[in-house]
Amino acid sequence: ATRRGAASHAVALLDSVVGEHRRGGNPVRLVPALVARADALVALGDVPRAQADLDEAAAAARRVHDRTESARLRAATMESARRTYDRLVMHHVGEGRAADPLLYMEQARASFAPAADRPTPAARFAGGPGTVGVQIALIGDTLLVGTVAGRR
């Protein structure tokens, strides 16, 4: 089977897994299913659906984070999602889009932060007048550097 065929098959299987865990209301099981499906969707180039799955996974992980004391569970959830966010970032870099990788890196960083530390979407890329921020990420063997300038 081709890689694309395997990814299509994985998405079809994971659709039923995600549906089952949504109905069951179990975010601990839903998060890895969503992340796995997002990863398969990235392999298919379906970035909008992959992003939607990661957004839902982050929301479910925040519910788990807020309800659990298990650092191991929180760390495992964050690590699996981080790998998929990394793939999304590299997809956008490969497409030659400048702003999207910065957005995905920021979403990955902020999406699993404790509620008290989570920035609002409007504040994520805001800077004071005349300021410049630098965002650096190492993904595999690729160093990404982006800048965000404050409004004047």
Side-chain angles (χ1 to χ4, degrees):
T2 67
R3 188 175 262 190
R4 185 166 180 79
S8 293
H9 183 69
V11 169
L13 290 173
L14 288 162
D15 283 345
S16 65
V17 173
V18 166
E20 181 65 29
H21 292 308
R22 275 186 186 139
R23 284 187 297 281
N26 186 345
V28 172
R29 300 218 186 257
L30 177 62
V31 170
L34 285 166
V35 170
R37 186 170 70 179
D39 199 44
L41 288 166
V42 169
L44 291 174
D46 191 346
V47 173
R49 279 187 64 203
Q51 183 60 53
D53 276 358
L54 287 176
D55 290 344
E56 184 179 350
R62 284 191 295 271
R63 290 192 302 274
V64 170
H65 184 276
D66 293 343
R67 292 189 328 216
T68 186
E69 296 297 317
S70 172
R72 186 179 310 173
L73 177 61
R74 290 193 309 263
T77 301
M78 290 169 55
E79 179 59 23
S80 65
R82 184 198 57 79
R83 286 189 302 267
T84 304
Y85 272 111
D86 286 353
R87 289 191 62 199
L88 280 171
V89 167
M90 294 310 293
H91 173 82
H92 287 293
V93 167
E95 297 278 316
R97 295 185 220 149
D100 289 343
L102 283 175
L103 177 64
Y104 286 118
M105 285 189 297
E106 181 63 16
Q107 285 176 341
R109 183 194 67 76
S111 63
F112 292 98
D117 298 331
R118 206 171 298 133
T120 63
R124 289 186 182 162
F125 286 115
T131 62
V132 175
V134 177
Q135 187 170 22
I136 300 171
L138 181 62
I139 299 176
D141 61 356
T142 303
L143 179 65
L144 300 174
V145 179
T147 59
V148 179
R151 294 194 172 114
R152 293 183 187 242

